[in-house]
């Protein structure tokens, strides 16, 4: 299926790039999620959440990275490419992942509220849909989870000070 040779070392390295994107999101007051898309061992899309900046509920890291990668390849089909994202994709992003035909998704932290790669629902490998995606979860999970936890703790603290 995939022409790219994947291994756990590459997965950890590319997740590191996604983590840097997530850190940018946190610095900008966005939920710290970062994503990169890799094709032929090259990053062809990289992004972080920009929902607040763009005032756009669809401006998730995965969606922006998919748009960049498709533009870079001059093709909406991203077969043989891999997405690395610090948090398990939501249903919207999982749908986009299927539609653009990504070959592999590697995520860091599971999403207990809306994870669509198996935690809450499994859109990426649903037998009723016409395609599926290789999914690997838990890569650099502690680091990914820490960024999210730290962000929300700071947010709750700021809100507490406002009261």
């Amino acid at each position: 299926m995939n022409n790219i040779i994947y291994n756990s070392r590459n997965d950890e390295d590319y997740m590191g790039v996604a983590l840097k994107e997530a850190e940018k999101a946190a610095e900008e007051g966005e939920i710290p999620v970062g994503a990169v898309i890799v094709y032929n061992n090259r990053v062809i899309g990289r992004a972080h959440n920009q929902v607040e900046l763009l005032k756009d509920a669809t401006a998730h890291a995965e969606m922006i990275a998919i748009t960049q990668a498709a533009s870079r390849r001059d093709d909406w089909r991203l077969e043989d490419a891999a997405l690395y994202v610090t948090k398990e994709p939501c249903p919207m992003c999982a749908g986009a992942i299927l539609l653009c035909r990504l070959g592999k998704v590697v995520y860091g932290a599971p999403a207990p509220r809306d994870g669509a790669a198996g935690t809450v629902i499994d859109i990426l490998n649903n037998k009723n849909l016409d395609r599926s995606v290789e999914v690997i979860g838990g890569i650099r999970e502690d680091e990914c989870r820490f960024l999210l936890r730290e962000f929300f703790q700071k947010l709750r603290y700021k809100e507490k000070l406002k009261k």
Side-chain angles (χ1 to χ4, degrees), residues 1-4 6 38-41 73 77-82 101-104:
M1 179 179 166
N2 293 337
N3 294 329
I4 306 169
Y6 296 108
V38 176
Y39 176 73
N40 284 342
N41 296 315
R73 289 210 43 213
R77 295 168 198 86
L78 297 176
E79 296 161 325
D80 299 328
R101 302 178 183 175
L102 276 161
K104 178 180 175 181

Side-chain angles (χ1 to χ4, degrees), residues 5-148:
I5 297 172
Y6 296 108
N7 64 49
S8 61
R9 181 68 186 149
N10 284 348
D11 289 347
E12 295 212 4
D13 290 346
Y14 289 127
M15 187 61 72
V17 179
L19 277 160
K20 284 184 177 30
E21 287 293 323
E23 290 167 359
K24 288 180 192 175
E27 290 168 10
E28 295 170 8
E30 300 278 355
I31 295 175
V33 177
V36 296
I37 296 179
V38 176
Y39 176 73
N40 284 342
N41 296 315
R42 297 184 74 194
V43 173
I44 61 169
R46 73 173 65 215
H48 55 276
N49 276 1
Q50 295 183 36
V51 171
E52 300 300 331
L53 174 71
L54 299 176
K55 309 288 187 257
D56 179 356
T58 68
H60 290 196
E62 300 96 321
M63 302 295 279
I64 297 168
I66 287 169
T67 300
Q68 285 180 2
S71 177
R72 195 124 187 234
R73 289 210 43 213
D74 197 27
D75 191 350
W76 61 268
R77 295 168 198 86
L78 297 176
E79 296 161 325
D80 299 328
L83 168 71
Y84 294 83
V85 60
T86 57
K87 181 176 163 281
E88 181 180 3
C90 72
M92 174 184 69
C93 293
I97 289 163
L98 287 178
L99 290 172
C100 74
R101 302 178 183 175
L102 276 161
K104 178 180 175 181
V105 172
V106 178
Y107 70 85
R113 291 186 181 172
D114 67 352
T119 298
V120 176
I121 58 175
D122 195 353
I123 291 174
L124 297 179
N125 286 293
N126 185 313
K127 294 176 196 157
N128 297 313
L129 300 175
D130 68 344
R131 64 179 48 92
S132 64
V133 178
E134 178 185 356
V135 176
I136 299 172
I139 302 296
R140 297 180 72 165
E141 180 177 346
D142 290 342
E143 293 166 84
C144 296
R145 192 185 301 265
F146 175 79
L147 273 177
L148 290 162

